[in-house]
C-alpha cells in the first residue's frame, strides 16, 4: 500500500439494509471519514471498516442473507476488518443470543451473549449518563446513552473488554458497551446526539488497522521525507 493510500481518508461503510443509517453516516462524515452505504457484496470489499446500525436485528439478519451480504461480511470480519455495532448492531456482532428466534443468525465475532429487548418495549426507552472506559487516555467524562428497545450483554468471554455498564436503576451493573480486538459494540445509540467520541474511537481503530495492514512501521511524516 502506498503512502498516499495510507494517508487517504478511511472508507467506513454503514450497513444500509435497515435501521438508522443516515445518523451514522452524518457522524462519520463529521469526523472526516469517507462514509458510504453498504448494500451490495462488492461494496463490502471496498471498505476499511463497517458500522452496523440500530434497527430490528431479525429483519436485518434476513435482509443481509437476502442481499447475499452474509458470506462477504463474515469473511471480512474474520480477516480482522474493524466493525462497530449499535443496539441491533451489537446483536449482529454477538456470537450468541440468549433469546433469539430459532432461525436467527448473527455475523458474530464478539465473544458475548446478548439478550434482545432486554430493557423492555419502546415505551421503556430511557437515557442515562454512563462512565465509559475511553480508549484514548486523554479522553475523559461520561457518555450520554440513549437506550431504545436495547439489548444488554449477559456474558462476556475472557478477551472481551467491558467499556460501560448501566449506572443506576433496576438494570444497574448490566453491560452495555464492549470491545474485543477490532470489534466494538454499544447497546445504546451514540449517533442520535452531538457527542462523536464513540464514533471517533472507532475511526481511530480503523486507521490503526489500515496502518497495520500496510506493514508501515514509520509515521507518514518519516516516510514522506525518507
Amino acid at each position: 500500500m502506498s503512502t498516499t493510500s495510507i494517508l487517504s481518508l478511511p472508507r467506513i461503510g454503514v450497513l444500509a439494509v435497515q435501521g438508522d443509517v443516515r445518523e451514522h453516516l452524518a457522524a462519520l462524515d463529521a469526523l472526516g471519514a469517507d462514509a458510504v452505504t453498504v448494500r451490495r457484496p462488492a461494496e463490502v470489499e471496498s471498505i476499511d471498516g463497517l458500522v452496523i446500525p440500530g434497527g430490528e436485528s431479525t429483519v436485518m439478519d434476513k435482509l443481509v442473507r437476502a442481499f447475499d451480504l452474509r458470506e462477504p461480511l463474515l469473511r471480512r470480519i474474520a480477516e480482522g476488518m474493524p466493525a462497530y455495532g449499535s443496539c441491533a448492531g451489537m446483536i449482529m456482532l454477538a456470537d450468541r443470543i440468549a433469546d433469539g428466534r430459532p432461525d436467527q443468525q448473527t455475523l458474530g465475532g464478539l465473544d458475548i451473549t446478548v439478550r434482545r429487548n432486554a430493557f423492555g418495549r419502546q415505551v421503556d426507552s430511557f437515557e442515562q449518563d454512563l462512565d465509559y472506559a475511553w480508549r484514548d487516555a486523554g479522553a475523559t467524562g461520561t457518555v450520554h446513552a440513549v437506550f431504545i428497545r436495547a439489548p444488554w450483554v449477559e456474558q462476556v468471554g475472557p478477551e472481551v473488554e467491558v467499556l460501560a455498564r448501566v449506572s443506576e436503576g433496576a438494570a444497574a451493573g448490566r453491560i452495555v458497551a464492549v470491545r474485543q480486538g477490532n470489534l466494538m459494540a454499544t447497546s445504546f445509540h451514540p449517533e442520535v446526539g452531538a457527542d462523536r467520541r464513540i464514533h471517533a474511537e472507532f475511526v481511530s481503530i480503523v486507521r490503526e488497522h489500515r496502518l497495520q495492514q500496510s506493514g508501515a512501521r514509520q509515521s507518514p511524516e518519516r516516510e514522506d521525507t525518507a
Side-chain angles (χ1 to χ4, degrees), residues 121-143:
R121 303 170 67 86
Q122 189 87 12
V123 295
D124 299 311
S125 300
F126 68 101
E127 302 180 23
Q128 189 176 107
D129 290 335
L130 307 176
D131 291 326
Y132 194 90
W134 298 105
R135 182 169 175 266
D136 183 351
T140 59
T142 60
V143 60

Side-chain angles (χ1 to χ4, degrees), residues 52-55 85-92 148-151 186-189:
I52 306 177
S86 66
C87 198
M90 170 185 270
I91 297 171
M92 290 292 289
I148 305 171
R149 294 182 62 201
T186 61
S187 300
F188 50 89
H189 293 263

Side-chain angles (χ1 to χ4, degrees), residues 207-219:
R207 289 184 185 276
E208 289 182 9
H209 181 67
R210 293 178 75 209
L211 286 172
Q212 292 168 0
Q213 290 295 100
S214 73
R217 291 297 180 264
Q218 294 179 314
S219 69

Side-chain angles (χ1 to χ4, degrees), residues 137-156:
T140 59
T142 60
V143 60
H144 186 71
V146 178
F147 295 90
I148 305 171
R149 294 182 62 201
W152 66 41
V153 179
E154 296 207 336
Q155 183 181 31
V156 300

Side-chain angles (χ1 to χ4, degrees), residues 48-198:
D48 301 307
L50 178 73
V51 172
I52 306 177
E56 172 50 58
S57 61
T58 55
V59 174
M60 199 174 293
D61 165 42
K62 291 177 182 178
L63 292 175
V64 162
R65 285 185 272 169
F67 294 166
D68 294 325
L69 290 166
R70 179 173 170 77
E71 295 307 319
L73 286 173
L74 284 171
R75 177 174 49 76
R76 289 297 313 276
I77 290 171
E79 291 171 349
M81 179 182 69
Y84 163 57
S86 66
C87 198
M90 170 185 270
I91 297 171
M92 290 292 289
L93 287 176
D95 283 346
R96 300 170 297 278
I97 309 176
D99 58 345
R101 295 185 178 181
D103 63 339
Q104 186 172 359
Q105 299 180 38
T106 69
L107 296 172
L110 284 172
D111 184 11
I112 60 175
T113 302
V114 297
R115 184 171 295 279
R116 298 171 56 245
N117 303 330
F119 293 96
R121 303 170 67 86
Q122 189 87 12
V123 295
D124 299 311
S125 300
F126 68 101
E127 302 180 23
Q128 189 176 107
D129 290 335
L130 307 176
D131 291 326
Y132 194 90
W134 298 105
R135 182 169 175 266
D136 183 351
T140 59
T142 60
V143 60
H144 186 71
V146 178
F147 295 90
I148 305 171
R149 294 182 62 201
W152 66 41
V153 179
E154 296 207 336
Q155 183 181 31
V156 300
E159 297 183 3
V160 176
E161 179 184 4
V162 175
L163 303 178
R165 297 175 183 266
V166 176
S167 58
E168 59 187 33
R174 291 293 187 180
I175 299 169
V176 291
V178 295
R179 180 185 174 195
Q180 181 180 355
N182 289 330
L183 305 180
M184 59 182 286
T186 61
S187 300
F188 50 89
H189 293 263
E191 73 279 4
V192 302
D195 188 345
R196 305 298 189 212
R197 288 177 296 168
I198 289 178

